Amino acid sequence: MFRARYPFKSIRSYSSLTVKSLYEQLHQPRHDSISVDGWIKSIRLLKRIAFLDLQDGTSVNPLRIVVPLANADYVHFLKNLKTGQTLSISNAIWQDTPSREQPFELQIKDPIESIKIIGPVSENYPLQKKFQTLPFLRSLPTLKYKTSYLSAILRLRSFVELQFMHFFQEIHFTKVSPPILTSNDCEGAGELFQVSTNQLSSPSSYFGKPTYLTVSTQLHLEILALSLSRCWTLSPCFRAERSDTPRHLSEFWMLEVEMCFIDSINELTSFVETTMKTVIQSCLDNQKELLPKQFISLKEDDALSTSLDQERQDIITRWQTLASEKWQTITYTQAIEILKKNYNEVPLFKYEPIWGQPLQTEHEKWLAGEYFKSPVFVTDYPRVCKAFYMKQNSTPDNTVACFDLLVPGMGEIIGGSLREDDYDKLCKEMKERGMNKSGELDWYVSLRKEGSAPHGGFGLGFERFISYLYGNHNIRDAIPFHRTAAGSINF
Amino acid sequence: MFRARYPFKSIRSYSSLTVKSLYEQLHQPRHDSISVDGWIKSIRLLKRIAFLDLQDGTSVNPLRIVVPLANADYVHFLKNLKTGQTLSISNAIWQDTPSREQPFELQIKDPIESIKIIGPVSENYPLQKKFQTLPFLRSLPTLKYKTSYLSAILRLRSFVELQFMHFFQEIHFTKVSPPILTSNDCEGAGELFQVSTNQLSSPSSYFGKPTYLTVSTQLHLEILALSLSRCWTLSPCFRAERSDTPRHLSEFWMLEVEMCFIDSINELTSFVETTMKTVIQSCLDNQKELLPKQFISLKEDDALSTSLDQERQDIITRWQTLASEKWQTITYTQAIEILKKNYNEVPLFKYEPIWGQPLQTEHEKWLAGEYFKSPVFVTDYPRVCKAFYMKQNSTPDNTVACFDLLVPGMGEIIGGSLREDDYDKLCKEMKERGMNKSGELDWYVSLRKEGSAPHGGFGLGFERFISYLYGNHNIRDAIPFHRTAAGSINF
């Protein structure tokens, strides 16, 4: 029997191999008998032989199993197998198949002996080949990740998370877990979920004051960065959004980074670019195990615009471009100039670009997708457009040291800034905005008095990034059991 | 200048080194000028020389900086430095110091030139050496992680999380992110937090039905395991506990694992033991960077029971024992027999151990801490003591295929089971418990009809594990900004 790298001799689930582990041993195949478990992806009966494709969710590659139809009993047995059934296979023999699409297959002599059905499917099992459009799959929340297209996005997410962990560990960041339950409203946005117990009458009686789900862990991260120098988190965040778009979730995971001893916004954007490129390069290096050979046949609708191979190649090309080319950087003021010029020449936009007003999603998407055709950092927004904690520039234009990273097709995926570390300036800004009237943010401003440091950070919407990498542009596929404004929670 | 491993040439925050990176280069020290930033941990002026210990939160080791007191200006400058201030140091030269406690120091020629104060402290900066008891530190939530004792527990947590990620990736588990917001109550325990928006009148108007914070992601993980074979998560979970003890949090992180193709509870306990031992061995291998040289002088109170070195040694010995010795396994029925015997001979317990009733915390702690003096798996509890989804044993004793892992000093840190995959048995059990009356768990039972598989998993209370490893036995120190039953949320 093959062995996994760790010594699980006594554990059937580890002596029985995953499909992934078989593919990992391509260059040193073994010729003793193999056991493997999984689900039937497809089955095809020819005259003398049957092809059984098995999947177990650990690999983008299916496992081809070849069964001889040597007698009527075998034919009868094989004919009763159904897509989606769970099988336990034993006594299979490795066979190299260099001339076929898949590099090897497993051969079975006696299917009745070697194939055990350990999980049934119903007569109406819905994952038959012909029905697999994305809208249809999204209507099957308990089954949809049995498809190779959607299970691949979960494995990509898991892989990307590990790459971030490696990277940050390597450069001495500590991963931390700031609270989800909080009494403060980081952004002042007001779109909060409130929390109460189901056994008490008053919403505030459990924790002593009104308690919310965090919209961003940044303020807490600042505390920890001022102790650890460099910290990051990947935490769920919550916004009671009214927006019901493929770019918005009510519950999403945010990768947030906070670090000390950083002085300029260009240091921060360089750091972001290095971080993201390192992760994207790892994806490129592992493209074979990350991207399925077959993309889903029909995506958003029945119209098939590109070939399946083309779609896979488009993703790889995008990763290559992202990893190798220098990302653009412009100031907000430059962005407005570019937008104004084009607004005047061609009426592209619904909203007129005006200095002092936020960029609209249409502006962001056009800048990254049409004008630069590249990720672009837009820096130094007007103070009034951004949050109270951003560091004020020393220039007289009333801007703050911040950036948004815009990417083609998706718009903003990262926002970051230096944080105001001047106690007096911070207090003045909060007062002008009518904040901290009852001292609820005294703890935050007090950080500027006890061993403060120049610091800054950023937040990356994790599902937006995964969805952008995978090229499907709907973040609801990048998280299992998505929570959105218009969606109901069925379980 | 030294360089970090990644090419951050243009970034001051990365060309200026962390304390950890200096220690990593012990065996290949460089002799050009070094820049480093951090906070003053302590300062000591002798006649001709001053010792400045700097920390930056990246390492358990402080950085010793030696400053000549060559003239009155230097003395005046050094006398004005204060513990807790933020410094930016430049033009420092590496000096090996093999005969001293720390293996190297940085030497500065002109302190006025080379030391820049970039962050102040107030007159009342509370982290002076003499005040550092744990209860005192816990009263300083924005400052307490500036101490080496408490920052070490955060770095340990970050390290342990990475080790789990490595391990699970290596054996083909996918890390997933099941939802925090849910309409179901996994354990049926009833201690739920309910979620509403602050802009709407009815609690159910946002998501269409009453929405809660998850108490366990297991039921959702089962869906994903039946697609991916092996999955895990590290997610926040919430319980509106009434218990206010050093072992309970209202918001905690749970590492949950779910895997297919597993048949017996002993396979599962073996897997848990292997997983935990792999992680603990990594801690042992990295003990020097994980454990501070000096443990906090006064822990829970003013009575100092063990020496500081002893405390560090106790932890290492515990890790060694955990990693090398076989963990005990007994059935619940055996556990009751052992407890009964001792209950009759010596009245140790407040509660009489009775077959068919849950083990009390006092029973659990005694079994692991006194009787076995080792982690112990207690398996096969009576069906009535455990959750509805656990797989019923084929034995006639009405037990289920489950385990709790008990550890000395802490009691239960992991609970797990095989899951009932027989559709009829599961439905019958739920009916007997009065569950699923309005079909709210139909989606869950339906999993047993469409490509089911024998499967099981477990949940590890992450703060309990970290706290147990670190030996401080209060899980409130293992998570920044803990949320507990009696605590109020100040920010």
Side-chain angles (χ1 to χ4, degrees):
Chain A
M1 300 283 275
F2 288 147
R3 297 244 185 279
R5 263 179 79 166
Y6 288 87
F8 295 102
K9 288 177 213 167
S10 63
I11 305 177
R12 173 172 163 265
S13 51
Y14 289 90
S15 57
S16 167
L17 288 166
T18 61
V19 173
K20 183 175 180 181
S21 65
L22 287 168
Y23 272 86
E24 283 175 351
Q25 310 203 21
L26 264 185
H27 300 295
Q28 33 172 317
R30 299 266 299 273
H31 299 287
D32 40 10
S33 86
I34 293 168
S35 298
V36 63
D37 304 315
W39 292 272
I40 300 178
K41 182 184 167 69
S42 66
I43 182 163
R44 194 155 53 100
L45 271 68
L46 302 183
K47 202 160 183 185
R48 297 186 178 170
I49 209 168
F51 294 111
L52 197 57
D53 278 0
L54 209 69
Q55 63 185 12
D56 72 352
T58 64
S59 172
V60 287
N61 299 301
L63 176 65
R64 168 64 54 92
I65 294 166
V66 182
V67 188
L69 299 177
N71 60 48
D73 287 347
Y74 289 5
V75 174
H76 179 75
F77 181 81
L78 265 291
K79 276 196 170 160
N80 278 310
L81 293 182
K82 296 189 193 78
T83 298
Q85 277 176 337
T86 323
L87 302 186
S88 182
I89 310 270
S90 55
N91 294 315
I93 301 294
W94 180 293
Q95 182 68 51
D96 288 319
T97 52
S99 62
R100 299 222 186 120
E101 197 194 336
Q102 72 285 351
F104 71 99
E105 60 190 28
L106 298 189
Q107 297 184 341
I108 280 176
K109 281 197 179 153
D110 178 348
I112 298 173
E113 193 75 22
S114 299
I115 301 180
K116 220 175 120 192
I117 302 170
I118 58 173
V121 288
S122 73
E123 286 299 318
N124 306 316
Y125 184 69
L127 288 183
Q128 308 300 333
K129 263 189 168 175
K130 52 185 169 177
F131 290 123
Q132 297 190 17
T133 67
L134 270 181
F136 175 72
L137 290 179
R138 288 187 193 119
S139 74
L140 302 169
T142 61
L143 296 175
K144 67 180 183 179
Y145 288 109
K146 286 178 180 268
T147 62
S148 56
Y149 180 78
L150 287 179
S151 67
I153 197 169
L154 292 190
R155 286 189 303 271
L156 174 66
R157 182 183 173 131
S158 178
F159 175 86
V160 166
E161 189 175 335
L162 179 61
Q163 302 316 307
F164 276 113
M165 276 207 93
H166 274 152
F167 176 78
F168 287 125
Q169 170 80 8
E170 205 60 54
I171 56 173
H172 309 159
F173 275 78
T174 302
K175 185 163 189 234
V176 294
S177 303
I180 311 301
L181 299 173
T182 177
S183 62
N184 82 276
D185 164 12
C186 174
E187 308 263 334
E191 292 168 332
L192 295 172
F193 288 109
Q194 187 158 359
V195 176
S196 56
T197 67
N198 58 348
Q199 294 169 329
L200 300 166
S201 47
S202 153
S204 62
S205 53
Y206 188 85
F207 287 118
K209 62 171 75 176
T211 302
Y212 307 100
L213 296 181
T214 189
V215 295
S216 158
T217 65
Q218 180 204 314
L219 303 193
H220 292 94
L221 281 187
E222 286 187 55
I223 294 174
L224 299 172
L226 287 166
S227 296
L228 301 166
S229 289
R230 302 169 177 191
C231 62
W232 72 289
T233 190
L234 183 58
S235 289
C237 291
F238 301 84
R239 297 193 187 167
E241 295 274 5
R242 295 283 106 199
S243 304
D244 181 36
T245 82
R247 296 170 62 247
H248 289 90
L249 293 168
S250 308
E251 172 183 334
F252 62 102
W253 287 67
M254 184 135 71
L255 191 155
E256 290 185 278
V257 169
E258 197 69 29
M259 57 202 209
C260 289
F261 313 121
I262 186 161
D263 281 323
S264 84
I265 200 65
N266 289 335
E267 288 177 36
L268 192 56
T269 55
S270 294
F271 177 67
V272 169
E273 189 172 337
T274 304
T275 305
M276 304 299 277
K277 282 182 169 173
T278 305
V279 171
I280 293 164
Q281 185 60 50
S282 306
C283 291
L284 263 179
D285 296 343
N286 293 275
Q287 53 178 272
K288 276 191 189 159
E289 65 179 81
L290 293 174
L291 293 176
K293 283 221 181 60
Q294 292 190 313
F295 270 69
I296 199 159
S297 56
L298 300 171
K299 290 187 65 182
E300 287 299 335
D301 50 42
D302 282 354
L304 186 60
S305 57
T306 53
S307 81
L308 308 181
D309 267 357
Q310 188 57 44
E311 213 161 321
R312 180 192 165 90
Q313 194 49 54
D314 286 350
I315 294 177
I316 295 169
T317 305
R318 184 164 65 252
W319 292 0
Q320 284 166 338
T321 311
L322 286 170
S324 60
E325 289 181 12
K326 173 82 187 139
W327 296 3
Q328 302 291 322
T329 304
I330 53 170
T331 63
Y332 166 88
T333 302
Q334 290 169 324
I336 291 289
E337 279 163 18
I338 294 168
L339 289 164
K340 261 186 189 299
K341 202 170 160 190
N342 286 275
Y343 181 82
N344 291 336
E345 285 176 9
V346 189
L348 285 164
F349 305 121
K350 192 173 161 202
Y351 296 97
E352 189 183 348
I354 299 171
W355 201 100
Q357 303 209 342
L359 298 184
Q360 299 293 326
T361 301
E362 57 170 6
H363 301 148
E364 296 175 340
K365 284 191 170 179
W366 181 82
L367 279 170
E370 305 293 322
Y371 189 82
F372 286 110
K373 296 184 170 64
S374 149
V376 54
F377 294 102
V378 181
T379 67
D380 303 288
Y381 283 66
R383 185 159 57 101
V384 293
C385 295
K386 290 290 180 182
F388 74 97
Y389 49 70
M390 295 190 180
K391 190 176 176 73
Q392 295 171 27
N393 283 324
S394 52
T395 49
D397 60 356
N398 246 324
T399 57
V400 287
C402 70
F403 75 89
D404 281 354
L405 175 64
L406 316 178
V407 298
M410 187 66 81
E412 189 214 323
I413 61 168
I414 303 184
S417 77
L418 303 187
R419 320 306 186 186
E420 185 56 77
D421 55 345
D422 182 303
Y423 179 84
D424 295 327
K425 279 188 190 163
L426 182 61
C427 289
K428 184 160 170 280
E429 183 65 24
M430 291 168 77
K431 199 174 172 193
E432 279 176 18
R433 294 180 185 230
M435 296 176 67
N436 202 27
K437 280 180 180 161
S438 47
E440 69 276 10
L441 284 171
D442 280 354
W443 64 271
Y444 180 72
V445 290
S446 79
L447 294 175
R448 277 63 185 164
K449 291 209 152 170
E450 303 291 14
S452 183
H455 65 289
F458 63 90
L460 164 69
F462 205 64
E463 287 80 14
R464 284 192 184 178
F465 181 50
I466 297 301
S467 177
Y468 173 58
L469 282 181
Y470 202 56
N472 77 338
H473 299 289
N474 188 331
I475 64 177
R476 295 171 191 190
D477 296 326
I479 187 168
F481 320 111
H482 58 84
R483 305 315 193 194
T484 57
S488 62
I489 290 186
N490 293 317
F491 49 84
Chain B
M1 302 282 277
F2 288 149
R3 297 243 186 279
R5 262 178 81 165
Y6 287 88
F8 296 102
K9 286 175 212 167
S10 63
I11 306 177
R12 175 174 161 263
S13 50
Y14 290 91
S15 58
S16 167
L17 289 166
T18 61
V19 173
K20 183 174 181 181
S21 65
L22 286 167
Y23 273 86
E24 283 175 349
Q25 311 204 22
L26 263 185
H27 301 294
Q28 34 171 318
R30 299 267 297 273
H31 299 285
D32 41 9
S33 86
I34 294 168
S35 297
V36 63
D37 303 314
W39 292 273
I40 300 178
K41 182 183 166 71
S42 66
I43 182 163
R44 193 154 55 99
L45 271 68
L46 303 183
K47 204 164 184 181
R48 296 187 181 171
I49 209 168
F51 293 112
L52 197 59
D53 278 0
L54 209 69
Q55 63 184 12
D56 72 352
T58 64
S59 171
V60 287
N61 299 300
L63 175 65
R64 169 64 55 92
I65 294 166
V66 182
V67 188
L69 298 177
N71 61 46
D73 286 348
Y74 288 8
V75 174
H76 178 76
F77 180 82
L78 266 290
K79 276 194 170 161
N80 277 311
L81 294 181
K82 295 188 193 80
T83 299
Q85 277 175 336
T86 323
L87 301 186
S88 182
I89 309 272
S90 54
N91 294 315
I93 301 294
W94 180 293
Q95 181 68 50
D96 288 320
T97 53
S99 62
R100 299 223 185 118
E101 196 193 335
Q102 71 285 353
F104 72 98
E105 60 191 28
L106 299 189
Q107 296 185 340
I108 278 174
K109 279 195 179 153
D110 178 347
I112 298 174
E113 194 73 22
S114 300
I115 300 178
K116 221 175 119 192
I117 302 171
I118 59 173
V121 290
S122 73
E123 287 300 317
N124 306 315
Y125 184 68
L127 288 184
Q128 309 298 335
K129 264 192 168 174
K130 53 185 169 179
F131 289 123
Q132 298 193 15
T133 67
L134 269 181
F136 175 72
L137 289 178
R138 289 187 194 121
S139 74
L140 301 169
T142 61
L143 297 174
K144 66 180 183 180
Y145 289 109
K146 286 176 179 270
T147 63
S148 55
Y149 180 79
L150 287 179
S151 67
I153 198 170
L154 292 191
R155 285 190 303 270
L156 175 65
R157 181 184 174 131
S158 179
F159 176 86
V160 166
E161 190 176 333
L162 180 60
Q163 302 318 306
F164 276 114
M165 276 206 93
H166 273 153
F167 177 78
F168 287 124
Q169 170 80 9
E170 204 61 52
I171 56 174
H172 310 161
F173 276 78
T174 302
K175 186 165 188 232
V176 294
S177 302
I180 312 301
L181 299 173
T182 178
S183 62
N184 82 278
D185 163 10
C186 174
E187 306 264 337
E191 291 167 333
L192 295 172
F193 288 109
Q194 187 158 1
V195 176
S196 56
T197 68
N198 58 349
Q199 295 168 328
L200 300 166
S201 47
S202 153
S204 62
S205 53
Y206 189 84
F207 286 119
K209 61 171 79 175
T211 302
Y212 307 100
L213 297 180
T214 189
V215 296
S216 158
T217 65
Q218 181 205 312
L219 303 195
H220 292 94
L221 281 187
E222 287 187 54
I223 294 175
L224 299 173
L226 288 167
S227 297
L228 301 166
S229 289
R230 304 170 175 190
C231 63
W232 72 289
T233 190
L234 182 58
S235 289
C237 291
F238 302 84
R239 298 196 186 165
E241 295 274 7
R242 295 282 105 200
S243 304
D244 181 35
T245 81
R247 296 171 61 248
H248 289 90
L249 293 169
S250 308
E251 173 184 334
F252 62 102
W253 287 67
M254 185 135 72
L255 191 156
E256 291 185 278
V257 169
E258 197 69 29
M259 57 204 212
C260 288
F261 313 121
I262 187 162
D263 281 323
S264 84
I265 200 66
N266 289 335
E267 288 177 38
L268 192 56
T269 56
S270 294
F271 176 67
V272 170
E273 188 172 338
T274 305
T275 305
M276 304 299 278
K277 282 183 169 173
T278 305
V279 170
I280 293 164
Q281 185 61 49
S282 307
C283 291
L284 262 180
D285 296 342
N286 292 276
Q287 54 179 271
K288 276 190 188 161
E289 64 178 82
L290 293 174
L291 294 176
K293 285 223 178 59
Q294 293 190 313
F295 270 69
I296 200 158
S297 56
L298 300 171
K299 289 188 64 183
E300 287 298 336
D301 52 41
D302 282 354
L304 185 60
S305 57
T306 53
S307 82
L308 308 181
D309 268 358
Q310 188 57 44
E311 211 160 322
R312 181 191 165 89
Q313 194 49 55
D314 286 349
I315 294 177
I316 296 169
T317 305
R318 185 165 64 251
W319 292 0
Q320 283 165 338
T321 311
L322 286 171
S324 60
E325 289 182 12
K326 172 84 188 136
W327 295 4
Q328 302 291 322
T329 304
I330 53 170
T331 63
Y332 166 89
T333 302
Q334 290 169 323
I336 291 289
E337 280 164 17
I338 294 167
L339 289 164
K340 262 187 188 297
K341 201 169 163 192
N342 286 274
Y343 181 82
N344 291 336
E345 285 175 7
V346 188
L348 283 164
F349 305 121
K350 191 172 159 203
Y351 295 96
E352 189 183 345
I354 299 172
W355 200 101
Q357 302 208 344
L359 297 185
Q360 299 291 326
T361 301
E362 59 171 5
H363 301 148
E364 296 175 339
K365 285 191 170 179
W366 180 83
L367 279 169
E370 304 293 321
Y371 189 82
F372 286 109
K373 296 185 171 62
S374 150
V376 53
F377 293 102
V378 181
T379 67
D380 303 289
Y381 282 67
R383 185 160 56 100
V384 293
C385 295
K386 290 291 181 181
F388 74 96
Y389 49 70
M390 294 190 180
K391 190 176 175 73
Q392 295 171 29
N393 283 324
S394 52
T395 49
D397 61 356
N398 246 324
T399 57
V400 286
C402 70
F403 75 89
D404 281 354
L405 175 64
L406 316 178
V407 298
M410 187 65 80
E412 188 215 326
I413 61 168
I414 302 184
S417 77
L418 304 187
R419 320 307 185 186
E420 185 56 78
D421 55 347
D422 182 303
Y423 179 83
D424 294 327
K425 281 189 189 163
L426 182 62
C427 288
K428 183 160 172 280
E429 182 66 23
M430 290 169 78
K431 199 174 174 192
E432 278 176 19
R433 294 180 186 230
M435 295 175 67
N436 201 27
K437 279 179 183 163
S438 47
E440 68 276 10
L441 284 170
D442 280 354
W443 64 272
Y444 181 72
V445 290
S446 79
L447 293 175
R448 276 64 185 164
K449 291 210 150 170
E450 303 291 13
S452 183
H455 65 288
F458 62 90
L460 164 69
F462 205 63
E463 287 80 14
R464 284 192 184 177
F465 181 50
I466 297 301
S467 178
Y468 173 58
L469 282 181
Y470 202 56
N472 78 338
H473 299 289
N474 188 330
I475 65 176
R476 294 170 192 192
D477 295 325
I479 186 167
F481 320 112
H482 59 83
R483 305 314 193 196
T484 57
S488 62
I489 290 186
N490 293 316
F491 49 83

